[in-house]
């Protein structure tokens, strides 16, 4: 019986923490746990056997960090450590062995420098080695970035035959570090074809209960939960967890009763915890989950559910009839395209259509680049719009989240090309009611094509909720008799097929005067016929008035809250277009190129330092405030920081000699000895530099004496230390102790995924920071004093 069949009939029990057990058995601070597979195989084997004896069905290999980036300076290769790790797990006597794969430890583009294909290759290397060594499945765990997860899942699906389980790690605010919520994570992961999904690490089972409930609401595949044994605490200099095995099991039991199919433990859990879970698995029956079946698309942080009402798809990033956009694509002027994305996002679009089809450009390469750039400034899902098959797959592959593919039509050849891509990437697809004979005039004929498309999707295993039908708008100027047939066709599709509908509305007015008026009336009629997702210009006042009004009528805008806020005592007679933006707005919106150009202009009348104080800092304060309140997420925060960085490059050339040496203060940042993670440190560095501080980045795995020596030589007032692993917290403490023993008059702030206020007190830090934004606030207070 393979693992997928086993889950269909049983509750599957995973093991517990490996790191916790290794520390108890001699793992030294800063050592790579994976190296024990070769240097101390007897210890790893003993831990595996203890978990099997406690009742684990699935043993997880000791390979969490065994990737090319984290093993850069290790004497053993990825293949050696994974092969040894799988071998030891298989010798434990467990029913199944999971190849354990964690995050790569670097930020993906556009937030960081790690390219999608680089991540893909790193994961491929691990997975091929794991399959060859005999693993039964792949476990992607402790993930926070859905884009990184996508690279991993594709590597698994394209290079192995192993089932894939994936768990994300959610923070106390209910989102991952990068900003994904449980609904977005669940819909995205299952659309990519994982065989089980869920949550692990970060919190205890009590705190994870609301997250698990959201996952169960939408999960169409088995759900997996591996919580921590509560939150870490320091007692007598040791890391301990505050949840007992009995309490842990008490909170996991209701999860199984609600439909969770796979249970295990993460940080702080031991064989005693697994023994309790074994009893739960043996006592409770398998419960079938009954998730909501919805038509939904996602970005890396946001879900749009089309069942919830009207969904506006912004049409502006399409070169048809747009001279400026054509020129931007030809000249590679990305900031213009980014501007279109920002404007539509702010004007009320729910999804952004992206079409870059020009005969003289490489469409497949360009659409991928444009999608990555757009998703760096907007958290909206993407509609990949192309008739070129290579461009469709390139665009869908580049998307972070679950996109719409626009489009497929009723031609047999076209369906045979597009539907495999839809299935592989789990996308939603738009079906056009045209075939080899063109666009039928009459509604019944268009319906017949729609039915053929829907029937064909079933043969590919594509569910009905993942299909949108476009009944196609014809021009009232040239095909007036056919306009009402479009509306009738929408009615037929809704009544007989029960799928969602999409429509390019503005086509109706080509060749006629006062197009916005005609478009808005036709849009209203289409809503009455059952249109779900209009493709339109969200910066058109007339169009958005029709949308906002209908959302009141169909109860989407409850109590007309949005309508009243937008239209009460407000003049809405002018076009909803973005006018001339000032520098502050450009930074807030992440418009890098435009901000740099604006700075060059403003330098004619405003001194460089005044620009920093009057525009840069206030803009970053707004962005930071929105980030703290959950209105924007890490990608948008980083893009605004990049806009400031680009602007600073312009300023540097115009600084006077005195200004060139001016700094608000020097700050050291470093990831402590033994820790090779630097995501948090790099984010903190960029934000601190944006606020005018001189940041000395010592890198990762930094020797204690290097921190002390640099602080002494540079007369540093503030040191920022980062650690991601509990095993390296002691090195953080030793570094701070060495700073104090050297008599240095500097303050120390600490941060990292495993840190909290209690840890900060334990290591002797002056400040604990939960993110880079708090680091800036501490620096401001310190240097102002």
């Amino acid at each position: 019986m393979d693992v997928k069949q086993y889950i269909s009939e049983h509750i599957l029990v995973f093991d517990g923490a490996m790191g916790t057990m290794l520390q108890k058995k001699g793992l030294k601070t800063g050592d790579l746990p994976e190296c024990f597979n070769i240097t101390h195989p007897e210890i790893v084997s003993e831990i595996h056997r203890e978990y099997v004896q406690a009742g684990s069905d699935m043993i997880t290999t000791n390979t969490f960090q065994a990737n090319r980036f984290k093993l850069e300076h290790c004497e053993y290769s990825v293949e050696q450590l994974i092969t040894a790790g799988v071998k030891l797990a298989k010798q434990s006597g467990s029913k199944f062995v999971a190849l354990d794969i964690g995050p790569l430890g670097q930020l993906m583009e556009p937030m960081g420098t790690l390219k999608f294909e680089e991540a893909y290759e790193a994961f491929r290397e691990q997975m091929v080695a794991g399959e060859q060594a005999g693993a039964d499945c792949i476990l992607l765990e402790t993930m926070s970035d859905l884009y990184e997860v996508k690279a991993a899942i594709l590597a698994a699906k394209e290079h192995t035959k192993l089932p894939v389980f994936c768990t994300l790690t959610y923070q106390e605010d209910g989102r991952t570090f990068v900003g994904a919520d449980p609904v977005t994570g669940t819909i995205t992961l299952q659309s990519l074809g994982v065989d089980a999904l869920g949550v692990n690490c970060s919190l205890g089972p009590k705190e994870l209960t609301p997250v698990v409930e959201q996952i169960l609401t939408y999960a169409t595949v088995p759900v997996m939960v591996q919580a921590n044994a509560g939150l870490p605490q320091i007692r007598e200099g040791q890391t301990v967890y505050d949840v007992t095995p009995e309490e842990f099991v008490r909170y996991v039991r209701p999860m199984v009763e609600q439909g969770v199919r796979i249970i295990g433990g993460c940080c702080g859990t031991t064989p005693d915890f697994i023994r309790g879970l074994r009893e739960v698995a043996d006592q409770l029956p398998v419960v079938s989950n009954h998730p909501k079946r919805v038509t939904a698309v996602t970005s890396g942080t946001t879900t749009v559910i089309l069942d919830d009402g009207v969904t506006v798809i912004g049409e502006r990033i399409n070169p048809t009839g747009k001279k400026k956009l054509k020129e931007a694509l030809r000249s590679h002027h990305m900031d213009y395209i980014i501007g279109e994305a920002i404007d539509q996002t702010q004007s009320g679009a729910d999804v952004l259509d992206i079409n870059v089809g020009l005969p003289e450009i490489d469409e497949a390469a360009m659409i991928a680049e444009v999608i990555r750039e757009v998703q760096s400034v907007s958290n909206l899902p993407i509609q990949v719009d192309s008739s070129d098959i290579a461009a469709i797959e390139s665009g869908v592959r580049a998307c972070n989240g679950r996109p719409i593919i626009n489009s497929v039509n009723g031609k047999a050849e076209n369906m045979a090309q597009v539907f495999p891509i839809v299935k592989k990437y789990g996308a939603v697809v738009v079906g056009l009611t045209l075939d080899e004979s063109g666009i039928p005039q009459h509604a019944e004929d268009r319906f017949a094509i729609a039915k053929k498309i829907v029937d064909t999707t079933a043969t590919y295993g594509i569910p009905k909720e993942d299909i949108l039908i476009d009944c196609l708008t014809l021009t009232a100027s040239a095909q007036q008799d056919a306009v009402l047939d479009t509306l009738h066709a929408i009615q037929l599709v809704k009544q007989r097929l029960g799928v969602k509908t999409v429509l390019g509305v503005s086509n109706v007015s080509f060749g006629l005067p006062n197009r916005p008026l005609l478009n808005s009336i036709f849009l209203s009629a289409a809503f009455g016929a059952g249109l779900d997702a209009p493709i339109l210009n969200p910066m058109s006042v007339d169009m958005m008035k029709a949308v906002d009004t209908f959302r009141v009528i169909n109860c989407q805008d409850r109590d007309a809250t949005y309508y009243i806020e937008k239209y009460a005592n407000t003049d809405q007679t002018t076009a909803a277009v973005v006018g001339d933006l000032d520098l502050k707005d450009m930074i807030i919106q992440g418009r890098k190129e435009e901000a740099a150009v604006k700075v060059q202009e403003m330098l004619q009348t405003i001194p460089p330092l005044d620009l920093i104080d009057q525009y840069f800092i206030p803009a970053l304060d707004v962005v930071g405030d929105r980030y703290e309140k959950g209105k924007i997420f890490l990608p948008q925060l980083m893009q605004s920081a990049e806009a400031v960085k680009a602007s600073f490059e312009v300023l540097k050339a115009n600084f006077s000699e005195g200004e060139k040496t001016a700094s608000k203060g020097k700050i050291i940042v470093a990831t402590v000895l033994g820790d090779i993670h630097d995501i948090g440190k790099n984010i903190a560095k960029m934000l601190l530099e944006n606020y005018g501080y001189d940041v000395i980045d010592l890198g990762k795995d930094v020797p204690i004496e290097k921190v002390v020596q640099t602080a002494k030589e540079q007369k540093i007032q503030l040191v920022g230390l980062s650690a991601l692993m509990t095993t390296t917290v002691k090195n953080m403490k030793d570094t701070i102790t060495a700073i104090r023993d050297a008599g240095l008059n500097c303050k120390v702030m600490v941060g990292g995924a495993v840190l909290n206020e209690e840890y900060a007190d334990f290591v002797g830090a002056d400040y604990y920071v939960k993110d880079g934004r708090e680091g800036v606030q501490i620096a401001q207070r310190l240097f102002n004093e």
Side-chain angles (χ1 to χ4, degrees):
M1 182 182 296
D2 66 19
V3 65
K4 291 168 65 175
Q5 184 180 353
Y6 187 88
I7 297 170
S8 68
E9 302 173 7
H10 304 84
I11 306 299
L12 179 71
V13 180
F14 258 73
D15 51 9
M18 173 59 73
T20 299
M21 296 292 288
L22 284 175
Q23 286 176 322
K24 289 181 178 181
K25 295 179 183 293
L27 178 68
K28 295 180 180 178
T29 302
D31 284 352
L32 276 174
E34 292 73 17
C35 289
F36 266 45
N37 293 341
I38 295 175
T39 61
H40 297 84
E42 71 286 353
I43 293 178
V44 177
S45 289
E46 182 182 2
I47 294 170
H48 287 330
R49 285 195 299 272
E50 287 181 32
Y51 278 124
V52 171
Q53 291 166 6
S56 294
D57 301 309
M58 178 80 78
I59 288 297
T60 309
T61 60
N62 180 34
T63 55
F64 180 74
Q65 298 181 99
N67 66 69
R68 63 174 64 175
F69 301 106
K70 293 182 179 180
L71 300 181
E72 187 177 2
H73 302 296
C74 178
E75 60 182 302
Y76 305 112
S77 70
V78 171
E79 184 177 3
Q80 285 176 312
L81 290 177
I82 286 180
T83 300
V86 173
K87 178 182 177 181
L88 294 174
K90 287 178 72 67
Q91 291 172 351
S92 67
S94 68
K95 291 184 180 74
F96 307 107
V97 169
L99 173 65
D100 191 25
I101 295 179
L104 297 173
Q106 299 191 26
L107 277 176
M108 299 280 290
E109 287 185 332
M111 293 181 293
T113 59
L114 183 62
K115 297 182 183 299
F116 183 87
E117 290 303 326
E118 290 175 337
Y120 174 91
E121 282 300 315
F123 286 125
R124 180 198 60 76
E125 184 178 27
Q126 293 174 279
M127 293 164 178
V128 169
E131 183 178 47
Q132 291 176 348
D136 298 297
C137 69
I138 293 169
L139 173 62
L140 306 171
E141 64 156 315
T142 324
M143 295 290 186
S144 63
D145 185 349
L146 288 175
Y147 200 39
E148 182 178 14
V149 173
K150 181 174 183 175
I153 294 171
L154 289 175
K157 296 293 184 181
E158 293 174 354
H159 294 279
T160 80
K161 296 180 180 179
L162 297 180
V164 178
F165 297 0
C166 183
T167 53
L168 304 181
T169 181
Y170 296 94
Q171 303 174 124
E172 290 181 272
D173 63 357
R175 289 184 177 270
T176 70
F177 170 67
V178 174
D181 62 89
V183 176
T184 300
T186 300
I187 291 174
T188 302
L189 292 178
Q190 65 193 22
S191 73
L192 286 167
V194 298
D195 299 284
L197 60 84
V199 57
N200 81 295
C201 204
S202 67
L203 303 170
K206 178 182 179 180
E207 293 80 10
L208 285 179
T209 296
V211 171
V212 174
E213 290 173 348
Q214 290 185 68
I215 293 171
L216 285 169
T217 300
Y218 292 95
T220 58
V221 298
V223 173
M224 175 176 177
V225 178
Q226 287 187 293
N228 283 353
L231 300 175
Q233 299 180 12
I234 297 294
R235 292 178 189 162
E236 298 179 357
Q238 299 295 318
T239 298
V240 297
Y241 290 82
D242 60 357
V243 173
T244 65
E246 294 74 21
E247 185 180 358
F248 189 90
V249 171
R250 188 165 67 247
Y251 283 105
V252 173
R253 177 180 287 270
M255 297 179 186
V256 176
E257 292 172 337
Q258 294 170 35
V260 168
R261 196 69 63 84
I262 305 167
I263 51 179
C266 203
C267 300
T269 60
T270 64
D272 288 338
F273 288 77
I274 303 308
R275 199 167 285 110
L277 294 182
R278 178 74 265 165
E279 292 179 6
V280 169
D282 292 340
Q283 294 168 3
L284 297 179
V286 173
V287 176
S288 296
N289 191 27
H290 300 285
K292 289 183 179 180
R293 295 277 182 171
V294 294
T295 302
V297 290
T298 69
S299 66
T301 59
T302 305
T303 296
V304 173
I305 299 177
L306 279 73
D307 305 63
D308 292 342
V310 173
T311 299
V312 173
I313 302 175
E315 69 179 8
R316 294 288 303 168
I317 306 178
N318 185 323
T320 303
K322 300 181 183 71
K323 185 177 179 180
K324 288 184 178 179
L325 182 58
K326 288 180 180 179
E327 183 53 38
L329 290 170
R330 292 187 185 108
S331 62
H332 213 260
H333 184 195
M334 284 295 162
D335 225 46
Y336 177 85
I337 301 169
I338 286 173
E340 289 285 357
I342 294 170
D343 292 345
Q344 291 182 99
T345 301
Q346 295 186 333
S347 297
D350 300 301
V351 177
L352 296 178
D353 182 87
I354 295 183
N355 183 314
V356 300
L358 289 176
E360 63 269 37
I361 66 174
D362 182 344
E363 186 177 353
M366 178 63 77
I367 199 167
E369 182 176 0
V370 168
I371 285 171
R372 284 191 288 266
E373 290 286 348
V374 165
Q375 291 201 297
S376 72
V377 296
S378 173
N379 61 358
L380 299 185
I382 296 298
Q383 176 168 275
V384 178
D385 186 355
S386 178
S387 58
D388 182 276
I389 301 302
I392 288 174
E393 179 152 20
S394 175
V396 173
R397 195 176 185 88
C399 280
N400 187 0
R402 185 189 203 199
I404 301 172
I405 291 176
N406 186 12
S407 58
V408 71
N409 59 53
K411 299 176 183 179
E413 181 183 3
N414 185 252
M415 289 190 285
Q417 292 175 315
V418 176
F419 284 148
I421 299 174
V422 175
K423 179 63 177 176
K424 176 180 178 179
Y425 294 94
V428 173
V429 64
V430 174
L432 306 181
T433 54
L434 64 86
D435 58 14
E436 290 84 355
S437 301
I439 303 174
Q441 177 171 339
H442 300 297
E444 286 285 356
D445 295 328
R446 295 192 214 177
F447 168 78
I449 297 174
K451 185 176 186 305
K452 179 170 66 172
I453 291 171
V454 172
D455 290 345
T456 305
T457 59
T459 67
Y460 286 87
I462 299 169
K464 184 182 287 188
E465 60 264 23
D466 293 348
I467 306 164
L468 308 175
I469 293 296
D470 187 341
C471 292
L472 297 172
T473 304
L474 300 179
T475 61
S477 59
Q479 297 158 297
Q480 190 171 6
D481 292 340
V483 173
L484 288 180
D485 279 285
T486 297
L487 302 181
H488 186 203
I490 293 173
Q491 292 174 323
L492 294 178
V493 167
K494 296 291 289 185
Q495 293 167 2
R496 299 180 188 177
L497 296 178
V499 299
K500 298 291 184 291
T501 57
V502 65
L503 195 66
V505 176
S506 60
N507 293 343
V508 73
S509 63
F510 280 135
L512 293 173
N514 198 353
R515 293 187 62 194
L517 175 61
L518 183 55
N519 290 342
S520 63
I521 299 301
F522 179 65
L523 175 60
S524 298
F527 284 148
L531 176 63
D532 299 289
I535 303 174
L536 52 80
N537 177 9
M539 294 184 291
S540 165
V541 168
D542 295 294
M543 298 287 262
M544 293 309 293
K545 279 182 178 178
V547 171
D548 295 336
T549 304
F550 186 73
R551 282 173 169 166
V552 174
I553 294 170
N554 74 351
C555 298
Q556 183 177 353
D557 181 7
R558 284 288 175 181
D559 301 318
T561 303
Y562 178 80
Y563 183 88
I564 293 170
E565 180 183 346
K566 183 173 180 179
Y567 293 103
N569 303 315
T570 302
D571 180 11
Q572 291 289 329
T573 60
T574 58
V577 296
V578 178
D580 292 333
L581 298 171
D582 68 12
L583 179 58
K584 181 180 174 182
D585 290 327
M586 291 176 181
I587 292 172
I588 291 171
Q589 295 175 14
R591 299 175 186 249
K592 294 180 289 187
E593 294 179 19
E594 291 181 47
V597 172
K598 191 72 173 180
V599 166
Q600 192 67 60
E601 292 177 9
M602 296 176 74
L603 281 170
Q604 305 302 315
T605 56
I606 303 176
L609 293 182
D610 287 351
L611 282 177
I612 294 173
D613 292 336
Q614 296 173 22
Y615 293 92
F616 289 16
I617 303 303
L620 288 170
D621 286 342
V622 170
V623 172
D625 182 63
R626 291 179 181 176
Y627 177 71
E628 287 181 348
K629 293 178 179 178
K631 294 181 178 179
I632 63 171
F633 305 103
L634 188 60
Q636 289 76 48
L637 176 71
M638 296 296 287
Q639 192 68 13
S640 293
E642 288 288 349
V644 171
K645 183 178 179 181
S647 299
F648 259 123
E649 291 302 315
V650 177
L651 287 187
K652 286 179 182 178
N654 292 273
F655 278 144
S656 67
E657 285 304 312
E659 290 171 332
K660 285 180 181 178
T661 58
S663 168
K664 292 185 175 180
K666 286 184 178 182
I667 303 172
I668 284 176
V669 295
T671 301
V672 298
L673 179 67
D675 203 315
I676 53 178
H677 302 85
D678 61 358
I679 290 177
K681 172 186 68 65
N682 292 343
I683 293 170
K685 174 189 175 184
M686 176 174 283
L687 292 178
L688 288 165
E689 287 178 335
N690 283 175
Y691 275 84
Y693 297 100
D694 182 7
V695 181
I696 301 171
D697 183 1
L698 298 183
K700 56 191 177 183
D701 191 16
V702 181
I704 294 172
E705 57 273 16
K706 185 174 182 180
V707 177
V708 174
Q709 188 64 30
T710 305
K712 182 184 299 184
E713 292 174 354
Q714 298 290 331
K715 297 181 173 57
I716 297 296
Q717 293 177 262
L718 180 61
V719 175
L721 299 177
S722 173
L724 187 69
M725 301 184 295
T726 55
T727 55
T728 58
V729 171
K730 184 178 184 300
N731 286 345
M732 181 177 278
K733 178 179 177 64
D734 292 344
T735 301
I736 296 173
T737 299
I739 289 173
R740 307 295 189 223
D741 290 345
L744 300 179
N745 184 27
C746 62
K747 301 291 186 181
V748 180
M749 59 181 178
V750 296
V754 298
L755 273 293
N756 54 31
E757 292 282 1
E758 188 175 6
Y759 266 118
D761 291 339
F762 166 70
V763 300
D766 298 288
Y767 311 102
Y768 162 68
V769 296
K770 66 179 182 181
D771 53 38
R773 166 70 172 159
E774 280 197 359
V776 169
Q777 294 170 339
I778 287 169
Q780 288 175 321
R781 291 199 303 268
L782 176 65
F783 287 102
N784 285 340
E785 291 171 2

